[in-house]
Amino acid sequence: MSAPENDSSRVIVKGASLLGDKSADLLIVGGVIREIGSIDARDTAHGSATVIDADGLVALPGLVDLHTHLREPGREDAETIRTGSMAAAVGGYTAVLAMANTSPVTDTAENAERVFDLGRAAGLVDVHPVGAVTRGLAGEELAELGLMNRSRARVKVFSDDGKCVGDPRVMRRALEYVKAFGGVISQHSQDASLAGASACCHEGELSGQLGLPGWPGVAEEIIVARDVMLARHTGSRVHVAHVSTAGSVEVLRWAKAQAAKDGHWSVTAEVTPHHLLLTTDLLSGYDPTYKVNPPLRPVEDVEALRAALADGTIDAVATDHAPHARHDKEHAFVDAAFGMLGLETALAVVNTVMRGNDLLDWAGIASVMSANPARIAGLDDQGQGIAVGAPANLTLIDPDASVTVDRDASVSLSRNNPWHGRTLTGAVHATLLRGVATVVEGQLA
């Protein structure tokens, strides 16, 4: 991505607390941080600069989401790339990775470039398409992995998300293929035979009481275990999407130790905000808002996920933002679509859960919501931190703001918001994409 056309544009961010630590001013010129310190906006050299008063605000590097569903092409009634970009900017994001399960599927270079171009046209966040692993998400024949990587979209992350790459031979070939260009396979870990075709919630005592088909945690854990062994065998990179169980955390902990020892392969993982806070108990009212894949888990799993994010076993927070039109969600629980919104609330949830319980500080939140996801996705101009010479991708946060979520205030086209009515701590005040404000005082610029 290039800097803004007007390379002489100047922005001064006054008095922000950098990563929650000491306060400083930032001078941004042409989309790049040029100076950090005490900067006098009255100086004639800076007289034409736009000044953003950030007193009392925390500055983080712009957030990066590894796992977003933007629904375009195919389901523009639920979300478009523009409205999803709007939701991302309001949530403090400067880059998102758009999942491939659209219609048509992002399984060709042409389709990847279409998503990429629509993202650039929206211009609010960097939209990077995720390529499908297999043609049509059918799990049989590899998609155009190399062509997508060589396209203008420069695809590096591939996933059949929504479906698991169940055939180990196909998964092995995909892992071998992406090695050539440093790509990574992001797996939706769900053994189809163990979970069952009709599974719609966590398998346990409550699913039995409710009469709902459940899928057990082991259906996730067995795929995580298989895939880390395949990554080790092929010397490649695997990323575990939306980890949801304590058992998966244990497999990851072992795998990361082995990968560090072996040195020729790697495994990374993400957790969603909703799996860090919401539990299976919410299903007792049969509210389809809480139907998500993988399902919400018991409190023991939630606690294990929080601990794993804090100690680095899980690398990143990813939203799995999954907008749905009302007519897809307002059904009996077993028939409703999977998924919930997440882009606009992710930072507040992570702040409330992780910082509020002294599990992460602001620097830690910057790692799991910016630097690590950018590294996993291979984004050179995102997640670089707040430093002289870095692109001015920034999120300014009011750290102590108490916000009660109103789903009707969302800029997303959909309303399947699990946080409606909940009070969370922390609010995005402003978002800057290469020095250009996309959000000011919590509203789109």
Side-chain angles (χ1 to χ4, degrees), residues 60 63-65 91 93 270-278 305-306 309-310 314-319 342-370 373 397 399 405 419 423-428:
L60 298 186
L63 308 184
V64 177
D65 189 20
Y93 288 90
E270 68 186 38
V271 63
T272 72
H274 48 271
H275 285 110
L276 288 172
L277 181 55
L278 307 180
L305 295 170
R306 293 179 182 181
L309 185 64
I314 294 176
D315 305 81
V317 173
T319 67
L343 282 170
E344 293 168 271
T345 50
L347 182 66
V349 174
V350 173
N351 181 42
T352 301
V353 171
M354 300 300 292
R355 184 169 160 269
N357 288 299
D358 295 323
L359 294 170
L360 287 176
D361 57 14
W362 283 115
I365 290 175
S367 293
V368 300
M369 296 190 75
S370 180
I397 303 155
V405 178
W419 312 106
T423 298
L424 302 170
T425 303
V428 173

Side-chain angles (χ1 to χ4, degrees), residues 397-411:
I397 303 155
D398 184 344
D400 300 316
S402 180
V403 178
T404 301
V405 178
D406 177 0
R407 62 185 166 214
D408 292 324
S410 172
V411 296

